[in-house]
Amino acid sequence: MEKNLKAIIFDFDETLYYSPTALKKYIQYIKQTILALSNHTESEANEIIKKYGFDQRGENRVSFGKTCENFGVKKEKWNKYKIKHFFEINYDDAKILDNNLLRALSKKYKLFIVSGELFQNILYKSKKLGIDVSCFCDIYAQKKTDKTPKSKIEIYQSILNDYKYHSENVLVFGDRYQVDIKPIELLGGHGFQIKDIDDLKNHLEKLL
């Protein structure tokens, strides 16, 4: 695998950084979003959060956009809302991957970020966190003008096509198997579901 490796693809949230208080803040963010975009009461919002698993993280983390219509929030309203009201973590307690490690990797491989987050939010969060995005040759993320965001398998295929890679030439890292890793496996490639920044660091150091 390593001798054929030409590129490394990273998810962004909960992969290139980890915040121990993110889940607590996310639950509050989801509650405020449900109250703002629907007629649900606060107690009903709390029930929705538990029922749909918004109080979970990692593999069990739920996409608001993919489930919101089940409890009365239109995707169109959510897509407009999240542009001005995006989820922010506690930047002070977050741990990021060492930029020196990213820089060393970027001299050997092409690095990409592939995320369902809005492009401008990734740039904003990266600046707040101190992540050196200049190490990445491209960031594939949702644009404000995107009516239908591409799935990760579509983006992975685009990278393979654009850079003339075979599936064995890329390696994916993310915190969720179904969302981040399975799509590249379906294309014949490989990936690692990581637990935290230290786990990611251990994997990456072996590639240098």
Side-chain angles (χ1 to χ4, degrees):
M1 173 65 195
E2 186 176 338
K3 66 179 181 179
N4 295 319
L5 187 61
K6 296 181 179 180
I8 304 173
I9 300 173
F10 297 89
D11 175 45
F12 184 73
D13 292 307
E14 299 288 289
T15 298
L16 287 175
Y17 74 84
Y18 179 84
S19 168
T21 59
L23 181 58
K24 183 178 180 180
K25 291 177 70 67
Y26 183 69
I27 292 172
Q28 186 59 36
Y29 169 77
I30 291 298
K31 181 191 292 187
Q32 292 172 346
T33 302
I34 293 171
L35 294 176
L37 300 181
S38 72
N39 295 319
H40 290 296
T41 64
E42 185 171 348
S43 62
E44 289 172 338
N46 288 332
E47 290 177 5
I48 289 169
I49 287 169
K50 291 182 179 180
K51 179 179 178 180
Y52 289 93
F54 292 114
D55 56 351
Q56 305 294 315
R57 74 186 308 161
E59 184 62 40
N60 296 318
R61 193 165 80 243
V62 179
S63 166
F64 189 89
K66 291 181 179 179
T67 57
C68 62
E69 292 193 339
N70 293 334
F71 45 86
V73 175
K74 295 292 185 182
K75 282 186 180 181
E76 292 79 6
K77 291 180 68 175
W78 159 242
N79 287 332
K80 290 180 180 179
Y81 179 87
K82 69 180 180 180
I83 291 174
K84 293 184 178 180
H85 307 85
F86 72 94
F87 171 61
E88 292 198 64
I89 63 166
N90 181 351
Y91 299 100
D92 293 329
D93 74 4
K95 186 175 182 180
I96 68 169
L97 191 66
D98 187 347
N99 281 320
N100 288 326
L101 178 54
L102 283 174
R103 292 176 189 125
L105 288 165
S106 69
K107 293 177 181 178
K108 190 173 181 181
Y109 311 102
K110 288 190 180 296
L111 307 184
F112 301 88
I113 293 174
V114 174
S115 173
E117 176 65 279
L118 286 167
F119 180 81
Q120 66 268 27
N121 292 353
I122 289 178
L123 297 183
Y124 174 84
K125 289 181 181 179
S126 295
K127 185 176 181 180
K128 295 278 285 187
L129 289 163
I131 297 172
D132 185 2
V133 293
S134 70
C135 297
F136 300 91
C137 63
D138 209 342
I139 298 174
Y140 291 78
Q142 186 181 351
K143 304 293 196 302
K144 286 183 179 181
T145 54
D146 290 344
K147 293 183 179 179
T148 305
K150 288 185 177 180
S151 65
K152 287 208 169 180
I153 194 169
E154 290 175 312
I155 297 173
Y156 294 162
Q157 186 64 67
S158 292
I159 293 174
L160 296 179
N161 294 342
D162 293 346
Y163 289 86
K164 304 294 188 283
Y165 291 149
H166 297 292
S167 56
E168 65 267 22
N169 298 143
V170 302
L171 187 62
V172 175
F173 290 97
D175 65 308
R176 291 184 290 174
Y177 173 76
Q178 293 292 334
V179 175
D180 305 316
I181 311 305
K182 187 176 180 180
I184 196 64
E185 291 181 345
L186 291 173
L187 294 173
H190 300 280
F192 289 101
Q193 181 185 358
I194 55 99
K195 300 174 183 177
D196 52 34
I197 289 296
D198 290 333
D199 187 26
L200 177 61
K201 178 174 176 285
N202 290 335
H203 279 293
L204 294 174
E205 286 179 337
K206 296 175 183 177
L207 299 176
L208 290 175

